[in-house]
Amino acid sequence: MLIMLNPFAGGGKAHEKWMRIRPDIQNQLGFYEVYELDNRAEYRNIITKKINEGEREFIAAGGDGTINLLLNALAAAPDSILKQIKLGAIGLGSSNDFHKPFRYDRMLKCVPYRINFANTIQSDIGVVTYFDARGKQNTRYWLVNSSIGITAEANLSFNTPNKILGYIKEHSTSGAILYAALSTLVRFRAREIGLKINGQSPEDIFIENVAIVRNPYFSGNFHYSTPAEINAGCFHVHLVARQSIPRKLLTLWKLSRSGQNNGLTRVRRASYLHISSREPLTLEFDGETVMAQEACFTLRNRMIQVCID
């Protein structure tokens, strides 16, 4: 069993949280190895080496971005091996969307965890193939959610804070998430994109936000109205078309309360989504962000085992 620990997650507080819960983790898991994520250039080689040695149980100890890094390293394995791999997580990050909805029986000193390798479910893996501004093609994998628009820009702002946001983030994670969302919402202007869902005819639309959702929970207390899609071979696409600032604030408020839709977002169930834009846009997946001018979203069905608790 290998734990990939990101001590820099959660605004740099992950190491402190890890030291607080380490004895409890030891009691639950017994023997394990820890790889500390201090050199991102090497982690893929470490994961590949462990897989080749026969290791099949992995834990990401960090935030959603840490899970994403581990997932992308694991996804390089052949399908026959990847289906044998079990993925767990310890939530040391800021939002920990992977663990939502939080359960008190899956908490260690306020840290969420899913590390029971005897209780797993075969899960789909989200795939995004995107082209950057130079036309270079890239492929990344994701488990929770992906987005383009306000959510993606807010994640970029949260990950690269200015002085004000940095100060708030240091003292209140939830306050920093709300500040990033509100400030992005006010300054963001709708972008025109080309959109094609499943086999439908493509359409051009001005959007505030496109969310590709497998787990309806995202960024603090925000969540959508659709159910989680673990291994159904599909995701939900939530579209927010061009709106006035008051209308955008109403949408944000509704999403923060109970995931109510009430016609504020257009929702479609899909297994294929293609997005294109004349200008590069921020693309977000599991909290990680890149710049993209074209992106295609699909799924690898029932491809990895994920711990339920």
Side-chain angles (χ1 to χ4, degrees), residues 26-43:
Q26 184 93 38
N27 289 336
Q28 289 204 34
L29 296 180
F31 175 78
Y32 58 82
E33 294 182 75
V34 176
Y35 170 69
E36 195 162 309
L37 191 62
D38 56 358
N39 186 346
R40 291 198 175 193
E42 289 295 323
Y43 80 93

Side-chain angles (χ1 to χ4, degrees), residues 214-227:
R214 295 189 60 237
N215 183 333
Y217 294 85
F218 70 104
S219 299
N221 295 324
F222 301 115
H223 64 286
Y224 294 101
S225 58
T226 48

Side-chain angles (χ1 to χ4, degrees), residues 103-149:
R103 282 173 31 188
Y104 289 111
D105 61 339
R106 291 196 321 220
M107 289 276 186
L108 286 172
K109 299 173 181 175
C110 298
V111 174
Y113 67 93
R114 289 164 60 176
I115 56 175
N116 182 2
F117 289 106
N119 189 14
T120 63
I121 186 171
Q122 208 78 29
S123 173
D124 297 343
I125 295 177
V127 183
V128 56
T129 301
Y130 66 93
F131 294 85
D132 58 27
R134 296 177 296 175
K136 181 181 177 182
Q137 180 176 321
N138 305 269
T139 298
R140 296 291 298 271
Y141 302 97
W142 50 279
L143 275 180
V144 184
N145 292 314
S146 186
S147 68
I148 288 176

Side-chain angles (χ1 to χ4, degrees), residues 23-305:
D24 300 281
I25 298 296
Q26 184 93 38
N27 289 336
Q28 289 204 34
L29 296 180
F31 175 78
Y32 58 82
E33 294 182 75
V34 176
Y35 170 69
E36 195 162 309
L37 191 62
D38 56 358
N39 186 346
R40 291 198 175 193
E42 289 295 323
Y43 80 93
R44 285 180 179 268
N45 294 334
I46 296 293
I47 299 303
T48 299
K49 180 175 180 291
K50 289 298 178 183
I51 291 174
N52 291 338
E53 291 173 352
E55 182 61 71
R56 296 294 183 265
E57 296 179 347
F58 296 86
I59 295 174
D64 295 313
T66 308
I67 298 172
N68 189 266
L69 285 173
L70 179 54
L71 173 69
N72 276 270
L74 296 172
D79 288 0
S80 59
I81 293 178
L82 184 57
K83 288 182 178 181
Q84 301 172 23
I85 289 176
K86 298 180 179 182
L87 174 63
I90 299 170
L92 306 176
S94 300
S95 189
N96 298 312
D97 296 335
F98 176 80
H99 296 270
K100 296 173 182 174
F102 295 132
R103 282 173 31 188
Y104 289 111
D105 61 339
R106 291 196 321 220
M107 289 276 186
L108 286 172
K109 299 173 181 175
C110 298
V111 174
Y113 67 93
R114 289 164 60 176
I115 56 175
N116 182 2
F117 289 106
N119 189 14
T120 63
I121 186 171
Q122 208 78 29
S123 173
D124 297 343
I125 295 177
V127 183
V128 56
T129 301
Y130 66 93
F131 294 85
D132 58 27
R134 296 177 296 175
K136 181 181 177 182
Q137 180 176 321
N138 305 269
T139 298
R140 296 291 298 271
Y141 302 97
W142 50 279
L143 275 180
V144 184
N145 292 314
S146 186
S147 68
I148 288 176
I150 291 175
T151 302
E153 294 289 342
N155 271 277
L156 178 61
S157 175
F158 184 84
N159 292 338
T160 57
N162 57 25
K163 289 184 178 180
I164 296 175
L165 181 55
Y167 177 82
I168 299 173
K169 190 174 180 179
E170 184 178 345
H171 293 83
S172 171
T173 298
S174 58
I177 290 173
L178 181 59
Y179 178 87
L182 288 173
S183 59
T184 302
L185 181 147
V186 170
R187 70 172 184 271
F188 188 85
R189 296 295 177 265
R191 312 285 175 82
E192 185 179 16
I193 64 168
L195 187 74
K196 185 175 181 180
I197 300 179
N198 289 341
Q200 299 175 0
S201 300
E203 60 177 310
D204 293 326
I205 181 174
F206 279 90
I207 62 98
E208 303 282 359
N209 199 68
V210 180
I212 304 92
V213 176
R214 295 189 60 237
N215 183 333
Y217 294 85
F218 70 104
S219 299
N221 295 324
F222 301 115
H223 64 286
Y224 294 101
S225 58
T226 48
E229 297 286 3
I230 304 299
N231 52 21
C234 63
F235 44 73
H236 286 91
V237 181
H238 289 256
L239 300 172
V240 179
R242 182 159 50 185
Q243 297 180 344
S244 64
I245 289 180
R247 185 75 173 174
K248 285 191 283 187
L249 287 169
L250 176 61
T251 301
L252 188 70
W253 183 79
K254 289 286 188 182
L255 291 175
S256 71
R257 300 295 292 177
S258 60
Q260 300 177 58
N261 185 5
N262 294 343
L264 296 173
T265 69
R266 293 164 52 191
V267 185
R268 302 181 190 178
R269 201 164 183 254
S271 58
Y272 173 89
L273 171 67
H274 182 270
I275 293 174
S276 60
S277 173
R278 293 187 180 91
E279 58 179 316
L281 299 174
T282 302
L283 166 63
E284 173 266 333
F285 40 87
D286 293 347
E288 299 295 290
T289 56
V290 296
M291 298 304 295
Q293 201 153 350
E294 182 180 352
C296 180
F297 299 86
T298 55
L299 290 167
R300 295 173 68 180
N301 191 227
R302 298 174 181 261
M303 195 52 66
I304 193 170
Q305 298 179 57

Side-chain angles (χ1 to χ4, degrees), residues 2-30:
L2 179 70
I3 296 179
M4 191 170 84
L5 170 65
N6 181 3
F8 308 106
K13 299 178 181 177
H15 187 266
E16 175 187 339
K17 293 179 181 178
W18 168 250
M19 295 304 293
R20 191 167 69 237
I21 66 170
R22 188 172 65 171
D24 300 281
I25 298 296
Q26 184 93 38
N27 289 336
Q28 289 204 34
L29 296 180

